[in-house]
Amino acid sequence: MKLLVSIVTTLFASVWIALLFRDDQGYAMFRIGSWIVETSAVFLLIISAILLISFYVLVRIIINFWRLPSLTARANRQWHLEKAQRLFAVGTRQMKSGNGIAAERTLLKAAAHSNAPAQYYINAARATNQSSDSLRKKRRDLHLSMAEECSSAEDMLEVQLTRVEFLLDDQETEQARTILETL
């Protein structure tokens, strides 16, 4: 709508100017050093408008080139966040379907680009806990350690409760009790 209004306004203004200068186009004379430039006022206005618009466009292009690295970095960061969210959803579905190894890989890949990597590491630990691998406990504890390193105060409680859950699954009630008492 704004574009239509600006086009109609421009058309009316140009018709009004054309009618104003139809009979008398005016006269403009410039002296630059030893040169003398004589032209009509209408031609001078048209050339001045073209030069002004060209200067404005050139300045806008320079500004956009100047801002291009930050805009590209912001778009790249946003793309990585969206990819991490998609991978989190995929990893969660894989974990619910019982494919713990694939879910672990997917969640670990997504954790590097996430705003809240602790959630990704906690879910990767849960996915690892589902597998029957002999190194399952080491990998699970490694993922929980990584979640502790990058977690905030709110996530720390969830990390510790998940650790307690795993200890209870492994029948290590004394260690689970110690963690619960410190919480």
Side-chain angles (χ1 to χ4, degrees), residues 15 17 25 51 56 59 64 70 80 82 88 93 96 111 116 122 138 141 159 164 169 180-181:
V15 167
I17 291 172
Q25 294 185 3
L51 288 175
Y56 174 76
V59 168
N64 286 338
S70 64
H80 279 295
E82 290 171 2
F88 184 80
R93 281 195 303 269
K96 287 181 181 177
I122 290 171
K138 286 184 180 181
D141 292 339
V159 170
V164 167
D169 287 347
L180 286 174
E181 286 175 353

Side-chain angles (χ1 to χ4, degrees), residues 32-67:
I32 302 172
S34 64
W35 291 41
I36 297 175
V37 178
E38 296 180 25
T39 184
S40 66
V42 175
F43 183 74
L44 178 66
L45 286 174
I46 292 171
I47 292 298
S48 298
I50 290 172
L51 288 175
L52 183 66
I53 291 170
S54 299
F55 179 73
Y56 174 76
V57 168
L58 180 67
V59 168
R60 294 297 299 178
I61 288 171
I62 290 171
I63 289 172
N64 286 338
F65 273 128
W66 184 266
R67 293 179 48 208

Side-chain angles (χ1 to χ4, degrees), residues 1-10:
M1 188 66 184
K2 288 181 182 180
L3 180 63
L4 179 64
V5 170
S6 64
I7 289 172
V8 169
T9 304
T10 304

Side-chain angles (χ1 to χ4, degrees), residues 54-131:
S54 299
F55 179 73
Y56 174 76
V57 168
L58 180 67
V59 168
R60 294 297 299 178
I61 288 171
I62 290 171
I63 289 172
N64 286 338
F65 273 128
W66 184 266
R67 293 179 48 208
L68 190 62
S70 64
L71 293 175
T72 305
R74 187 180 317 144
N76 191 22
R77 193 171 32 250
Q78 183 65 30
W79 181 79
H80 279 295
L81 286 174
E82 290 171 2
K83 182 179 178 184
Q85 290 171 350
R86 284 193 308 273
L87 288 175
F88 184 80
V90 169
T92 304
R93 281 195 303 269
Q94 289 172 337
M95 187 171 59
K96 287 181 181 177
S97 69
N99 193 356
I101 295 171
E104 177 188 6
R105 274 191 237 126
T106 304
L107 290 167
L108 290 177
K109 186 188 316 179
H113 301 293
S114 169
N115 280 343
Q119 295 299 319
Y120 291 77
Y121 290 127
I122 290 171
N123 282 340
R126 286 196 170 123
T128 305
N129 197 43
Q130 288 180 351
S131 68

